[in-house]
Amino acid sequence: MTDNPVETHYTRTDLGEAILAALRAAGKDIDHLTPDDLAPVDEFHGGQRPATVRLAELVGFVGSERVLDVGSGLGGPSRYLAWRYGCRVSGVDLTAEFVRVAEMLTRLTGFVGRVDYRQGDALDLPFESESFDVVWSQNAAMNIADRDRLYREMRRVLKPGGKLALQEVAAGPGGPPHYPVQWAREPSISFLYSQKATRAKLATAGLSVTAWQDTTEPALQSATARARNADGPPPALGTHLLLGGDWQAMFRNSGRNLEERRTELFNAVLERVD
């Protein structure tokens, strides 16, 4: 077991087996899986697949991009980008178990050679400078205190004129979040900045905003629907499989935090400034 508290929070050693069992229970053909089949469980971020689609449309992919997904989780967004646009995508995630499951699901969906994953630290990305056309990240930064270093690293691996695509949880005006939430059971591994503070840090890192969308309202609608699943037996396939025994409280608090504006959500696209 890891001694990193963030990785410990996300690690479930039987996750791959649990997902395969849930896929079978949901009537999916394990030998012929598609990204759509996996979307209820592998889009592990606020708003799930619809949020990924919104951010991708904001970027405006043409298909030739080399993409890095920072905080790639189980690989849902990276496989979607390869499937929908034909991009070549690499993912990096701190949690070794997520990387193992992402690789398994990539084999089962036939995306080996188009998508790859490795374990790594977002503050020290294991890639050469100026390697990617797009750096993509959804709901990863809230576990990272040193945003200045994070955004500098993202800029470093971008080619000149490259784009950074972000979906992030931000601190709202309503006060500290209620815990537990999906990214933290208590405040010690949760680091939220306001949208204004985030924009300032991105600018300091040498990244210029080309689009910024407050997506709190659609995120609240999604969280409210997800919280309803906490009132009874969950569906066979869902992100509750990643969360452990307190998933009901996490789902309820996510909706409550958005409703009380303790948290906000935004999408942004930025360009590397040289």
Side-chain angles (χ1 to χ4, degrees), residues 92-107:
V92 60
D93 201 281
L94 181 68
T95 302
E97 182 67 9
F98 280 3
V99 173
R100 286 192 290 270
V101 175
E103 290 173 339
M104 177 190 75
L105 296 177
T106 297
R107 290 193 300 272

Side-chain angles (χ1 to χ4, degrees), residues 126-204:
F127 299 96
E128 296 292 329
S129 298
E130 301 184 5
S131 298
F132 296 95
D133 302 293
V134 177
V135 171
W136 170 283
S137 187
Q138 289 177 275
N139 287 42
M142 63 275 191
N143 289 125
I144 299 172
D146 192 349
R147 297 293 180 84
D148 295 313
R149 183 173 172 184
L150 172 66
Y151 297 142
R152 286 198 305 269
E153 271 294 276
M154 289 175 162
R155 181 192 180 278
R156 178 185 67 79
V157 299
L158 275 174
K159 296 176 182 178
K163 296 179 179 180
L164 171 61
L166 295 176
Q167 174 185 322
E168 289 194 7
V169 181
H178 300 291
Y179 294 94
V181 288
Q182 284 92 326
W183 69 89
R185 289 181 169 84
E186 39 78 28
S188 68
I189 59 168
S190 178
F191 308 99
L192 302 185
Y193 292 80
S194 70
Q195 294 192 53
K196 181 179 179 180
T198 302
R199 288 184 74 137
K201 288 181 177 297
L202 287 161
T204 299

